Amino acid sequence: SVGYSTAIVGKWHLGVGKDGMYLPTHQGFDYYMGIPYSHDMCPCDVCFYPNLKCSDPQNECNNNYVPCPVFENEKIIQQPVVKINLTEMYIDAATNFIKE
């Protein structure tokens, strides 16, 4: 350890990947809070990995759009994202990380 931690707060444009392999916490960051892609890149309306797959017959998916999730590290903490509060969430997350 070199005595510091890294974080990213905001949009991560690489997506999630299987088992979260593209999330920032798998790319060297110690902390992540944000949306893993642009709002217009969401896969379907009612599902999101790691829950039931969009192709699962139990889901009624529209593969064109989805309510985007907000992740904290590798956990979905909000879906759909409440855009009106998103900036405040980001500010709080970044401020708390710096304080720690």
Side-chain angles (χ1 to χ4, degrees):
S1 174
V2 292
Y4 64 89
S5 297
T6 58
I8 180 170
V9 176
K11 181 176 78 169
W12 176 258
H13 204 36
L14 296 181
V16 177
K18 184 176 181 181
D19 298 323
M21 66 190 258
Y22 298 137
L23 289 172
T25 51
H26 286 256
Q27 304 300 318
F29 289 91
D30 299 304
Y31 177 79
Y32 167 57
M33 184 208 263
I35 296 173
Y37 35 69
S38 296
H39 295 0
D40 63 351
M41 294 179 63
C42 303
C44 56
D45 286 331
V46 294
C47 58
F48 190 78
Y49 188 88
N51 299 324
L52 292 174
K53 295 182 179 180
C54 293
S55 60
D56 191 299
Q58 295 177 4
N59 286 325
E60 298 176 23
C61 293
N62 173 344
N63 287 322
N64 294 321
Y65 302 100
V66 69
C68 286
V70 177
F71 276 80
E72 184 166 35
N73 295 318
E74 298 173 21
K75 180 181 177 188
I76 296 172
I77 60 170
Q78 187 180 83
Q79 188 180 22
V81 59
V82 179
K83 294 178 189 175
I84 197 163
N85 298 333
L86 188 58
T87 300
E88 185 176 331
M89 285 178 61
Y90 286 169
I91 291 168
D92 289 346
T95 302
N96 290 336
F97 181 83
I98 291 168
K99 287 179 181 178
E100 292 177 8

